[in-house]
Every structure is written in structure tokens, then in C-alpha cells.
Amino acid sequence: MTTAAAYAVSAPDGHFEKVAIERRELGPHDVLIDIEYAGICHSDIHTARDEWGGAKYPCVPGHEIAGHVAAVGSAVTKFQVGDRVGVGCMVDSCGKCDPCLAGEEQYCVPGATMTYNTPVPEEFQPGGYTLGGYSTQIVVTESFVVSIPEGIGLDVAAPLLCAGITLFSPLRHWNAGPGKRVAIIGMGGLGHVGVKIAAAMGAEVTVLSHSLSKEADGRKFGAHHYYATSEKQTFRDLRGHFDLIINTVSADLPIDSYLKLLRLDGTLVILGLPENPLQVKPFTIAGYRRSLAGSMIGGIAQTQEMLNFCAEHGIGAEIETISADRIDEAYERVVASDVRYRFVIDTATM
Ligand code: NAP
Ligand code: ZN
Ligand code: ZN
């Protein structure tokens, strides 16, 4: 077994502290990764604070992982020591159900093994549940590890492992591209990467942010239009306008008002995961044959496709790198929407 340094929280209102954790012995198909950077996703905060229920403590979040391969198991064929690699939100799945066979492991019927907070046998992760990337090392089966192409820095690549794929997957699924009007609600960690990817796909991109304070950045990332949702006029001006609206907001939104911004056959995709139910009037979706949909991260093959696409288009996340002792402060700032646009932990500081 390998002992790694990690940062863990021991209660929903606790503070992050340095701990030592065990990683499993390398199996034949396993890869040991020296983690260099770990992004802070809002899902880490929902989990660490037990906002979704069922959190296990001590909790080591982190599913935006970038680093180098430190060792490989005897049967590993995909990677060699020294390779630049990433790990996202999943570390295993059943491999046999229809979604797994279709390369959509995130929709695994018995449930994918998420990178942290998922119950697993002791031989998979000592302690009995997965511990994530706020750590110096992790062991992952090779089929859940992806290559980070040369040309994207590991630090700006780390957030692509969750934020990047979470936006890339629905943008591809609902055919964002030339001639399509796409709106991104919320320009945080997920949203800002979504703006860059949707623009690179050739769509006409609009940001719907709660204020105009980040407009100059949005336009730099490739947005063609930028509106404040605090203005009632925005909802009048954009009624019936979009083919695709992607909601990345981590808080409750009056979703019915946003559905009205879809044109005929348009789709609004929910990515943000606050805990409360949505309120939708049947008339709003029946009118204009609108769809309300959701999407969860993306499969492993598509994660690789996304990284290749980002390398080709020069896309990385906009980051603020922090030392591991500043995670608590970073969480407060993410919740206050005071981040431009993703915090990334430099694990050398552990
Ligand atoms: P984030 O960096 O905190 O960004 C969220 C953005 O939402 C903020 O930048 C802000 O954008 C807007 N916002 C926040 N509070 C708001 C409020 N009270 N009213 C209106 N707008 C508000 O979070 P993130 O890491 O991008 O994650 C966003 C959500 O997606 C979280 O709920 C997370 O759990 C979820 N998520 C889902 C998936 C999936 O697979 N479906 C994957 C990853 C994360 P503006 O300032 O531009 O308004
Ligand atoms: Zn995430
Ligand atoms: Zn499966």
C-alpha cells in the first residue's frame, strides 16, 4: 500500500486538515498517479458540507485531477511511467450494463464508482469508501484514466476533467454548432469553460449571468452576447430565442422563466444541482414543444475527445492556484461567486 498526504474535512461544518491516507496496492490494471493539481468543483462543496445527504467523513473531495503516472500494474497497456494523465468524477463502473457498453459509464445502471464518497470494498480503497484528489497520489484502474495532451498545462487542464466534460457532453449531444443559439446560465467554473467550448464549436453563444460584472471576460472567452438576469427586460428581449440553454447555476433558479427563452423544439439542460425540486408549468413546456433535460458529466471516451478538442482549440480553464491550507477560504469564495474562474490546489504544498 502507498501512504499519501491528503486534505480532509471531518464534519459538514468542519475545516480542512492535513491527513495521511492509504491507497491500495497496485493491481495488474492499476495506475499510480502523482497528483500535481486538483480543481475545486462546487460539487466538492455540496458533498463536504453534506448538502446532498449521505456524506462520509473524513471526506477527501476532488475529482478534477491532473498529474503524472508514477507506476503501472503488470498488465497496463495504455500508460507508461511519466505520462501526463487526468482523472475525473469516476474511477470505476460495472462495465456490463447498456450505458457502460455504450461508453456512457456515468449512467451505469448499478451506479458508477465516483472518485470520492462512494462505498467500495476495502481492497479498492482502504477505509471502505473512495477518497478523492485533494491528495498527493491516487490509484485508478487504467480504463478510467485519460491522457492530457501536450499543449495544455496540467494546472489549467485539471478543471476540464469535471467542468470541461460536463459542458462538452451536452453541447455535443444537443448539436451545438454553427447556426445554433446557445445560452449558458451562470459563468462560474462550469459556465466559463462552457462558453469557450461552445464558441469553439461554432455556436452563437450568450451568457446569462446575474450581473454584467464579468461581461468583458465572457466576451474574451468567446461569448457573442451577455445579459444580466437581474434585469426583467432580459426575459422580455430573449423570449423564444434559444435552441439550447445550459443551466450551470449551483443555486435555485425560477426555471420556468428561463424555459420561456427557448424557441420551437428548444431544450434547457440542467447541470447545476441544488437540492430543491424545480417548478415548471406544464404550459411552458407544451408551448413551443420545449424540452427540459439534464446531463451528468460524460463518458471516459468522450472525456478524452474533450481533452483533445481543448488542446486543438487552445482551451484551458481560467484558474487561481492555491496552496492546500487555503481550501476553506476558497470554498467561501466559490459560494460567494468570488472566483475567476476555478480554484486549483497545487498539491506540492501538501
Ligand atoms: P460555481 O463555480 O460556483 O459557479 C456557479 C455559478 O452560478 C456562479 O458563478 C454564478 O454565476 C451562479 N450563481 C451562484 N449562486 C447564484 C445565485 N444565488 N443566483 C444566481 N446565480 C448564482 O459552481 P460550478 O463548480 O460551476 O458548479 C455549478 C453547479 O453544477 C453545482 O451545483 C455543481 O454541483 C453542479 N455540477 C454538476 C455536474 C453535472 O454533471 N451535472 C458536474 C459538475 C458540477 P454568475 O455570477 O455568472 O451568475
Ligand atoms: Zn465536479
Ligand atoms: Zn454499468
Side-chain angles (χ1 to χ4, degrees):
M1 271 193 307
T2 307
T3 302
Y7 270 70
V9 65
S10 350
D13 56 354
H15 296 288
F16 276 90
E17 284 174 344
K18 188 173 171 175
V19 294
I21 60 169
E22 300 296 332
R23 298 297 191 181
R24 68 173 180 262
E25 214 63 72
L26 273 198
H29 296 284
D30 283 340
V31 176
L32 173 68
I33 299 166
D34 281 337
I35 299 173
E36 269 144 77
Y37 297 99
I40 294 180
C41 175
H42 208 117
S43 301
D44 299 353
I45 304 176
H46 291 309
T47 305
R49 298 185 172 178
D50 202 16
E51 290 168 0
W52 292 332
K56 301 190 187 316
Y57 299 96
C59 170
V60 179
H63 58 207
E64 294 185 335
I65 297 169
H68 285 97
V69 173
V72 294
S74 56
V76 167
T77 55
K78 236 172 107 180
F79 300 103
Q80 292 179 352
V81 171
D83 284 355
R84 291 154 49 88
V85 291
V87 176
C89 300
M90 301 177 282
V91 287
D92 206 1
S93 72
C94 86
K96 297 181 197 124
C97 68
D98 288 345
C100 280
L101 293 173
E104 304 264 30
E105 300 89 351
Q106 72 279 24
Y107 304 120
C108 176
V109 176
T113 304
M114 307 315 280
T115 305
Y116 57 82
N117 221 55
T118 301
V120 288
E122 285 277 342
E123 48 287 9
F124 191 91
Q125 170 62 58
Y129 58 95
T130 51
L131 301 173
Y134 297 2
S135 173
T136 53
Q137 290 187 310
I138 192 167
V139 174
V140 181
T141 183
E142 66 172 329
S143 50
F144 282 78
V145 180
V146 289
S147 295
I148 298 180
E150 297 292 339
I152 325 182
L154 289 181
D155 51 355
V156 299
L160 300 178
L161 274 303
C162 174
I165 184 60
T166 299
L167 272 293
F168 185 87
S169 188
L171 287 167
R172 272 276 192 264
H173 186 80
W174 279 280
N175 302 312
K180 291 286 172 76
R181 291 181 186 154
V182 175
I184 310 274
I185 316 175
M187 203 172 75
L190 263 57
H192 91 284
V193 176
V195 171
K196 290 186 179 193
I197 294 175
M201 287 176 174
E204 183 181 326
V205 183
T206 299
V207 176
L208 302 174
S209 182
H210 60 281
S211 77
L212 295 180
S213 66
K214 297 181 275 192
E215 179 172 1
D217 285 348
R219 291 187 183 272
K220 201 174 73 192
F221 303 154
H224 305 92
H225 315 281
Y226 203 103
Y227 288 86
T229 53
S230 52
E231 296 295 330
K232 284 207 176 79
Q233 192 60 36
T234 294
F235 292 88
R236 287 184 212 118
D237 291 349
L238 296 176
R239 205 180 165 96
H241 187 74
F242 297 106
D243 297 289
L244 179 63
I245 301 177
I246 300 205
N247 173 26
T248 74
V249 173
S250 49
D252 299 325
L253 279 192
I255 210 69
D256 206 75
S257 308
Y258 288 88
L259 278 166
K260 290 177 184 154
L261 307 186
L262 289 172
R263 69 203 296 186
L264 176 63
D265 288 329
T267 303
L268 189 154
V269 182
I270 301 290
L271 300 180
L273 300 169
E275 66 267 54
N276 294 321
L278 300 169
Q279 285 219 337
V280 176
K281 290 191 188 121
F283 264 108
T284 311
I285 43 177
Y288 284 35
R289 202 159 54 198
R290 295 172 172 124
S291 299
L292 176 60
S295 182
M296 256 317 187
I297 47 174
I300 299 298
Q302 196 175 45
T303 303
Q304 188 63 62
E305 184 193 335
M306 175 277 303
L307 287 169
N308 299 347
F309 177 93
C310 287
E312 198 178 306
H313 292 272
I315 296 172
E318 304 294 315
I319 59 167
E320 183 176 333
T321 307
I322 58 162
S323 52
D325 58 0
R326 290 180 56 208
I327 299 171
D328 291 316
E329 177 196 330
Y331 274 30
E332 293 304 327
R333 286 184 52 199
V334 172
V335 172
S337 295
D338 175 26
V339 48
R340 300 288 184 275
Y341 282 83
R342 199 56 138 187
F343 286 111
V344 171
I345 304 163
D346 177 355
T347 64
T349 62
M350 293 185 178

